[in-house]
Amino acid sequence: MKVTILGSGTSQGIPIITCNCEVCRSNDPKDKRLRTSILIETKDTTICIDAGPDFRYQMLRANVQKLDAILITHEHKDHIGGLDDVRPFIFKQQKPITVYASTAAQKEIKREYSYAFVRHEDRYPGAPVFDLETINHQPITINDLIIKPIKLKHYTLTSYAFRIGNFAYVTDLSELPRRAYKELKGVEYLIIEALRHTPHYSHISLSEAIDIANMIGAKKVWFTHISHDMGKYADTNPTLPENMMLAYDGLEIII
């Protein structure tokens, strides 16, 4: 299984509009971060977790030729803002795209993309067509992938992590519930958010992410959903534990 980091930045991305800090002015490609998303590929299956405003460019940059499904962590704009751009996949594959999302996220998707959910005879030609599937605690089977959704707390919202065997993707959380710890125990390869060095009301900090990774027992860890407050990649990455690193856009991980 190959995991590609499509985006490793926060809701504003890096560089941030109008910001002149050293991170946003950096020429290092590893400091250029699109909105957080990953691509998962096996021999038979290609899925994406989240489809934010950078989705179109992310698909082009990664040369994605087919897409079996999209999993949505939660309903914030930086995670659903690119769903209209799935249309080329729908046209090419001649079928709707299946989107797995919580009931709360589905409500927002239907509001944001209301034109995709009108009656067939009233639908504008060329509009996207989605098959919405509800995320709960049951495993999701997509071809050869069995995916376990894990409920997280994201301030006042619910977000979902996803575990596939010994790999897990965990982003947008303010704390990890006890049940989630148990469900993540034994994960060897972990991608987890780490917003910045200092605490935040709706995201975990770098030190909190390190603590979670150690408690889970992950052998290899990549940090994502990184803000410019984390500092430059070249400065921060060498300070991390030996088995941990900052993720960056375009990074490919073989599980």
Side-chain angles (χ1 to χ4, degrees), residues 67-158:
L67 191 64
D68 294 296
I70 299 172
L71 278 65
I72 301 297
T73 57
H74 65 295
E75 59 268 30
H76 278 160
K77 186 79 169 186
D78 54 318
H79 297 263
I80 67 168
L83 281 174
D84 185 79
D85 285 325
V86 304
R87 287 181 294 142
F89 293 115
I90 296 170
F91 302 154
K92 181 178 180 179
Q93 296 168 186
Q94 295 285 295
K95 62 180 181 179
I97 285 289
T98 303
V99 177
Y100 293 86
S102 67
T103 53
Q106 287 184 34
K107 181 179 179 181
E108 188 62 20
I109 290 168
K110 289 177 179 178
R111 187 197 66 80
E112 183 77 13
Y113 303 100
S114 58
Y115 53 88
F117 297 97
V118 298
R119 295 182 306 173
H120 178 75
E121 57 268 29
D122 296 329
R123 187 178 298 132
Y124 191 85
V129 184
F130 305 119
D131 279 342
L132 293 180
E133 295 287 344
T134 302
I135 290 176
N136 48 44
H137 286 296
Q138 298 302 312
I140 298 167
T141 300
I142 305 173
N143 300 333
D144 57 343
L145 290 176
I146 299 176
I147 305 159
K148 172 62 178 174
I150 299 172
K151 194 173 183 179
L152 307 173
K153 185 174 182 181
H154 183 31
Y155 190 45
T156 59
L157 300 180
T158 293

Side-chain angles (χ1 to χ4, degrees), residues 110-234:
K110 289 177 179 178
R111 187 197 66 80
E112 183 77 13
Y113 303 100
S114 58
Y115 53 88
F117 297 97
V118 298
R119 295 182 306 173
H120 178 75
E121 57 268 29
D122 296 329
R123 187 178 298 132
Y124 191 85
V129 184
F130 305 119
D131 279 342
L132 293 180
E133 295 287 344
T134 302
I135 290 176
N136 48 44
H137 286 296
Q138 298 302 312
I140 298 167
T141 300
I142 305 173
N143 300 333
D144 57 343
L145 290 176
I146 299 176
I147 305 159
K148 172 62 178 174
I150 299 172
K151 194 173 183 179
L152 307 173
K153 185 174 182 181
H154 183 31
Y155 190 45
T156 59
L157 300 180
T158 293
S159 182
Y160 278 91
F162 299 102
R163 178 173 182 170
I164 304 172
N166 61 355
F167 164 76
Y169 181 70
V170 184
T171 190
D172 288 74
L173 70 159
S174 49
E175 61 182 80
L176 192 67
R178 182 174 298 178
R179 177 174 177 173
Y181 270 114
K182 295 179 180 179
E183 293 174 317
L184 288 168
K185 200 73 176 174
V187 162
E188 296 182 13
Y189 302 93
L190 176 67
I191 299 175
I192 185 168
E193 84 153 346
L195 184 73
R196 61 192 191 190
H197 296 282
T198 55
H200 188 275
Y201 68 92
S202 64
H203 294 275
I204 60 172
S205 66
L206 177 60
S207 62
E208 291 171 316
I210 291 173
D211 288 344
I212 290 172
N214 285 332
M215 290 181 68
I216 291 170
K219 295 180 181 179
K220 190 71 176 177
V221 182
W222 298 266
F223 300 113
T224 193
H225 206 287
I226 296 165
S227 78
H228 62 170
D229 293 321
M230 182 69 80
K232 296 170 69 173
Y233 179 93

Side-chain angles (χ1 to χ4, degrees), residues 229-249:
D229 293 321
M230 182 69 80
K232 296 170 69 173
Y233 179 93
D235 296 334
T236 303
N237 200 62
T239 70
L240 298 177
E242 187 177 354
N243 65 324
M244 303 182 185
M245 66 178 290
L246 299 182
Y248 54 86
D249 291 20

Side-chain angles (χ1 to χ4, degrees), residues 45-71:
T45 308
T46 303
I47 66 170
C48 187
I49 299 182
D50 288 329
D54 300 312
F55 179 81
R56 174 183 173 275
Y57 179 61
Q58 290 168 335
M59 293 296 99
L60 290 170
R61 184 171 65 179
N63 192 31
V64 180
Q65 296 296 308
K66 73 152 190 165
L67 191 64
D68 294 296
I70 299 172
L71 278 65

